[in-house]
Amino acid sequence: MMPSKGYFITFEGIDGSGKTTQARLLEKKLQTIGYQTHLTREPGGSPGSEWIRKLLLKQKALEWSDLTEILLFFAARKDHVEKTIQPALDTGKIVICDRFTDSTRIYQGSENPHHRKIIDSLQKHIIQLEPDLTYILSISAEEALQRTISREEDWRLNRLSKSKVNTLIQDFKNLSIEFPERCYLFSGSNSPVEIAKEILEFTMARFNA
Ligand code: ADP
Ligand code: TYD
């Protein structure tokens, strides 16, 4: 049984870890069972935040300062929560979101404790909504680079060194230690169907807990 006021599931991990694939598979399976779902992603997921996504990811010429970038991610998130996520939860849907605040904690916060503090504060005071369940997909840096090599959008990832990608992988894994009540680590290296089966079983167990 799922709570009547909806359920919020997020997928996290480095680019290429299989979040989009697994989010789609989970949505399909839950719909087959009869649940009402809404699949979304960040940055983006509402008209306003899709515009901010373009400013963040598509405009290579715009060099935002670190703090401005954090504020843009949170501006996009606030609009996404207000216009898309919360209304869907209020009608009892399961919202599945490809990335959320954990991505900002890792990409914009893990190298700088002051920035991490600001991120946690924006989450607490501005966003307020926390996921009920977060799946962290973990793959090796080699697999990630292989899977994303041809992506135009991933100019951000592809300019990172392998050791930086390895640090990000570890930082994502550490979320399951920092937030053990909601963050669960899954290997993203198995076949998509196998991972989807594990995630569906885990999700149903949480609904029934
Ligand atoms: P993300 O959203 O984390 O960037 P995607 O789901 O878009 O990851 O997957 C990145 C690429 O890897 C895609 O080409 C996808 O088809 C492929 N892929 C996804 N999951 C797996 C998997 N478990 N094994 C092998 N390739 C995968
Ligand atoms: P996304 O479209 O999820 O890329 P992918 O499917 O390849 O994982 O995310 C786009 C990029 O935005 C990705 O490189 C991660 C980055 N990002 C941040 O740096 N901070 C954030 O808070 C979010 C949500 C994403």
Side-chain angles (χ1 to χ4, degrees), residues 12-17 19-20 41-43 53 56-57 69 73-74 77 98-108 148 151 153-154 156-157:
E12 297 283 359
I14 57 166
D15 303 53
S17 56
K19 298 178 304 301
T20 309
R41 61 135 180 219
E42 290 211 343
R53 179 185 177 95
L56 280 161
L57 302 181
E69 190 179 58
F73 276 114
F74 272 95
R77 183 161 300 132
D98 190 343
R99 296 194 182 283
F100 197 64
T101 301
D102 292 324
S103 281
T104 322
R105 288 189 171 106
I106 302 308
Y107 286 100
Q108 282 71 44
T148 57
R151 279 194 198 168
E153 201 174 75
D154 284 332
R156 294 169 91 249
L157 179 75

Side-chain angles (χ1 to χ4, degrees), residues 38-59 72-73 75-81 83-84 97-99 153:
H38 183 87
L39 180 62
T40 186
R41 61 135 180 219
E42 290 211 343
S46 63
S49 38
E50 288 291 334
W51 277 100
I52 300 175
R53 179 185 177 95
K54 290 193 185 102
L55 296 177
L56 280 161
L57 302 181
K58 299 280 188 195
Q59 300 290 324
L72 283 170
F73 276 114
R77 183 161 300 132
K78 184 67 180 165
D79 192 67
H80 187 206
V81 169
K83 306 273 174 51
T84 304
C97 188
D98 190 343
R99 296 194 182 283
E153 201 174 75

